[in-house]
Amino acid sequence: MGDTLRSPTVTTKLQRLAEQAARDPKRVFTTLAHLIDEDFLREAYRQTSKSSAAGIDGVTATQYAEHLEENLRDLHDRLRSGRYQAAPVVRVWIEKEDGGQRPIGKPAFEDKIVQRAVAMLLEAIYEQDFSDSSYGFRPGRSPHEALREVRTRCMTEGIGWIVDADVSGYFDSIDRTHLRAILRQRVNDGSLLCLIGKWLRAGVMDGGVLQHPETGVVQGGVISPVLANVMLHHVLDVWFAQEVQPRLKGRSFLTRFADDFVIGCEREADARRVMAVLPKRFARFGLRIHPEKTALIAFSTPSARQGSAEGNGTFDFLGLTHYWAQSRRGYWVIKRKTARKRLRRTTKALWRWCRVNRHLPLQDQYGMLCQKLRGHFQYYGIRGNYRLLDVVRRQAEEAWRFWLSRRSHKSAISWERFQQLRKMFVLPTPKIVHSL
């Protein structure tokens, strides 16, 4: 839910809502929109990121803040009277690990505020429903908790098989009819559903062309992660816990971070049953399990294989490759290292950044490189992964040296000069942040 709430009235509203949802899991909430008053919008504004780029209207967070109270008052009036209209989302593209591109949307700043307000209401309710196996885009939860859960379950429950699933273009392919039906099972406030409908139908501006996709929620929208979690909670989490696990003969688990999930099974027969039924379950809701990127992986401990060739697989989850290895004391444990695709993407991005920014002042380049490396170490700094952290640091240094030597003739830096600069501008050393 973002930062800690500061408005006592908003805090009270959300706590009361959460208590009602927890007390009655079958309750359908029909009157929520009235809770979004000026004070609620002010709190939503406070929790909205101010650093992202402006949307299609060109209004930045700084500009909106210049007349904040007037703007929030006008926004509340338009919401209350039904005159509020959602603006199209500007689409930009970022590189994916497989060489493709992923679309990200940039909503107008005012739309972000209203989306944040609605997201706060939905989170208060659905956080009482969401499964413990779900970690993505939830307050107080992190990818490293999901990674820890996978490792612990595999090591303590005799998990020998992993279903490594991939949902094809999840955010873009969400069936809106199914989404609305799922929402109405818990939230059936006409005004709130109307707002969500406006955002879904607002359209996407891509390369100067306005498009109106019939499916999907825009990645980058404030409301999108909540809607995506609600959908997969119903499609996957509840289904797996209530219908699949009771039918399996061995132990099993599901760990999900947004649309990235793995299913672990103790027995091969159970894993194959899950593998067979998973595409059918998703197809019922207009979603597709990618047949080539979804795999059944033998993942038993080497000692359990007793010489068999099976079970020596690895799988990637949340950017890290999981594999069995011996500890210093000779025990078999699961270790993690940066996934090959992530490592390649990181080094390519560093190379590209150094090329594009090679004419900036050295101090500015150094500061940004330090920031990028610290961010990388913060996420991938897991015990056993030090060597690949150091690879990234050395690649950053090499890319920096290469492109500094290829500036204009007047400002190009020689090898000797770079060796001197290395002593002045020392890049951060790898750091293990997460022990297990």
Side-chain angles (χ1 to χ4, degrees), residues 3 55 59 69 80 85 119 207 228 238 269 282-284 289 304 313 322-323 331 335-336 346 356 368 389 427:
D3 301 330
V59 177
E69 293 305 318
R80 191 172 52 182
Q85 295 297 323
V238 173
F282 274 68
R284 282 184 54 188
I289 296 292
H322 296 63
Y323 63 99
Y331 300 113
K335 293 187 177 182
R336 284 80 54 88
T346 299
V356 172
M368 278 303 299
L389 298 181
L427 293 177

Side-chain angles (χ1 to χ4, degrees), residues 230-246:
V230 169
M231 184 83 172
L232 278 184
H233 170 71
H234 178 84
V235 174
L236 179 62
D237 302 351
V238 173
W239 168 75
F240 184 79
Q242 296 182 0
E243 298 186 36
V244 176
Q245 277 188 310

Side-chain angles (χ1 to χ4, degrees), residues 142-163:
S142 72
H144 291 97
E145 289 179 317
L147 290 164
R148 189 179 300 114
E149 173 78 3
V150 168
R151 183 181 187 272
T152 301
R153 299 292 290 270
C154 285
M155 290 183 61
T156 60
E157 297 182 9
I159 299 300
W161 297 85
I162 295 290
V163 177

Side-chain angles (χ1 to χ4, degrees), residues 103-339:
I104 297 293
K106 296 190 299 182
F109 184 74
E110 186 172 74
D111 290 338
K112 290 182 184 180
I113 297 174
V114 187
Q115 289 187 25
R116 173 56 62 197
V118 173
M120 287 157 60
L121 293 175
L122 294 181
E123 284 178 351
I125 295 170
Y126 281 103
E127 275 299 313
Q128 318 313 312
D129 300 348
F130 284 159
S131 168
D132 286 341
S133 64
S134 168
Y135 289 87
F137 306 117
R138 293 182 59 189
R141 292 187 158 229
S142 72
H144 291 97
E145 289 179 317
L147 290 164
R148 189 179 300 114
E149 173 78 3
V150 168
R151 183 181 187 272
T152 301
R153 299 292 290 270
C154 285
M155 290 183 61
T156 60
E157 297 182 9
I159 299 300
W161 297 85
I162 295 290
V163 177
D164 183 10
D166 182 274
V167 187
S168 297
Y170 174 61
F171 279 82
D172 288 335
S173 59
I174 289 177
D175 185 292
R176 296 171 183 173
T177 301
H178 284 302
L179 175 61
R180 282 190 287 267
I182 290 170
L183 281 169
R184 287 194 186 101
Q185 294 177 19
R186 195 65 155 133
V187 175
N188 198 17
D189 182 310
S191 298
L192 226 58
L193 294 176
C194 180
L195 279 176
I196 293 173
K198 287 182 179 182
W199 296 321
L200 296 178
R201 296 190 302 270
V204 176
M205 186 68 71
D206 189 353
V209 179
L210 182 60
Q211 304 171 357
H212 289 86
E214 295 182 359
T215 61
V217 298
V218 176
Q219 281 185 269
V222 175
I223 194 69
S224 299
V226 184
L227 298 179
N229 263 342
V230 169
M231 184 83 172
L232 278 184
H233 170 71
H234 178 84
V235 174
L236 179 62
D237 302 351
V238 173
W239 168 75
F240 184 79
Q242 296 182 0
E243 298 186 36
V244 176
Q245 277 188 310
R247 293 177 168 85
L248 301 181
K249 294 183 178 180
R251 288 175 290 187
S252 63
F253 73 88
L254 161 71
T255 300
R256 179 174 69 82
F257 191 94
D259 60 326
D260 195 355
F261 66 93
V262 293
I263 296 173
C265 294
E266 184 180 8
R267 301 189 177 193
E268 179 182 357
D270 287 343
R272 293 196 180 278
R273 290 179 66 188
V274 172
M275 189 80 171
V277 75
L278 201 58
K280 299 173 185 177
R281 172 65 179 179
F282 274 68
R284 282 184 54 188
F285 295 89
L287 300 169
R288 179 172 175 264
I289 296 292
H290 199 298
E292 297 174 2
K293 295 182 179 180
T294 300
L296 179 60
I297 299 160
F299 198 65
S300 59
T301 62
S303 59
R305 295 200 304 272
Q306 297 180 343
S308 170
E310 283 196 309
N312 197 25
T314 67
F315 67 92
D316 291 350
F317 183 56
L318 299 181
L320 289 154
T321 298
H322 296 63
Y323 63 99
W324 284 99
Q326 282 188 304
S327 68
R328 292 180 179 178
R329 297 184 178 181
Y331 300 113
W332 287 106
V333 296
I334 293 175
K335 293 187 177 182
R336 284 80 54 88
K337 62 182 178 181
T338 309

Side-chain angles (χ1 to χ4, degrees), residues 361-400:
L362 287 175
Q363 188 68 45
D364 293 348
Q365 292 187 51
Y366 171 70
M368 278 303 299
L369 280 174
C370 288
Q371 186 176 327
K372 290 176 180 296
L373 286 173
R374 289 193 187 103
H376 183 83
F377 300 157
Q378 183 68 32
Y379 185 87
Y380 293 99
I382 290 178
R383 181 178 293 177
N385 195 34
Y386 187 92
R387 185 182 67 82
L388 293 184
L389 298 181
D390 196 50
V391 166
V392 170
R393 183 193 182 281
R394 286 188 280 108
Q395 286 288 324
E397 189 174 86
E398 175 61 23
W400 197 23

